[in-house]
Amino acid sequence: MNKEIARAELRRDYETYLRRQRGLSERTIFHSWRIADRFLEFRFGKEIGDLSRITTTDIVGFLQHLTTRTPPLRDKTLSSHLRNFFRYLFKTATNLALAIPSVAQRYGTRLPRHLTTEQVDTLIRAVRHEPERPANTSRII
């Protein structure tokens, strides 16, 4: 069996898995396969390749290959698509989906995790449109 036939069969099965088991949209399925196919090209080149021989080192190498280009990818979907592919390929000796790092979440200005009593009172007054009270009077809610 040549590479094109093997990849076409893998693609068909993987897309069926994404559609039926994961319930993903056609657009997401298309992009998921593109990432999977790029990984397979990176790992096996022109060969068909034995999927059970994929290692975490291969995954790291692929991610490094993609992130060392200018500008580096900052998209979270790369990791998600790879993770889905390796969940599908759980036929391998180990669950390689666990080896794919998650992308750090970068948030802009956020509310602090902890507010002082005065800050809570100010926030409640702003919501209720109440006038500002002097700082020395506390209010129990």
Side-chain angles (χ1 to χ4, degrees):
M1 177 171 10
N2 68 19
K3 180 186 128 187
E4 289 77 28
I5 294 171
R7 291 268 171 95
E9 188 176 313
L10 177 64
R11 179 181 183 166
R12 186 181 60 250
D13 292 345
Y14 180 51
E15 288 179 347
T16 300
Y17 162 79
L18 293 175
R19 200 172 284 113
R20 291 185 183 161
Q21 299 294 320
R22 308 283 298 163
L24 300 179
S25 71
E26 293 302 313
R27 182 172 186 258
T28 303
I29 291 169
F30 171 79
H31 290 293
S32 295
W33 173 250
R34 280 193 61 221
I35 296 298
D37 192 45
R38 286 177 68 187
F39 172 78
L40 294 171
E41 276 298 315
F42 175 82
R43 171 59 176 88
F44 299 112
K46 299 197 183 303
E47 301 295 318
I48 294 172
D50 180 3
L51 300 177
S52 65
R53 302 194 74 200
I54 297 172
T55 65
T56 56
T57 306
D58 299 327
I59 296 168
V60 169
F62 178 67
L63 291 172
Q64 286 175 337
H65 169 72
L66 292 179
T67 57
T68 55
R69 64 186 209 180
T70 309
L73 287 174
R74 301 210 183 276
D75 191 5
K76 295 188 306 184
T77 58
L78 174 65
S79 296
S80 297
H81 292 324
L82 274 178
R83 209 171 286 113
N84 276 338
F85 183 61
F86 289 111
R87 280 187 192 120
Y88 166 74
L89 287 183
F90 194 34
K91 307 171 207 173
T92 56
T94 57
N95 186 357
L96 295 172
L98 302 174
I100 300 170
S102 15
V103 176
Q105 301 289 329
R106 303 279 186 235
Y107 296 105
T109 305
R110 297 173 55 173
L111 285 175
R113 291 184 181 261
H114 307 284
L115 299 174
T116 64
T117 305
E118 292 79 25
Q119 290 171 323
V120 171
D121 286 339
T122 303
L123 184 60
I124 291 172
R125 276 194 304 281
V127 171
R128 292 182 181 165
H129 302 292
E130 293 179 9
E132 184 109 10
R133 296 180 186 203
N136 61 358
T137 62
S138 63
R139 177 176 173 204
I140 300 175
I141 298 176

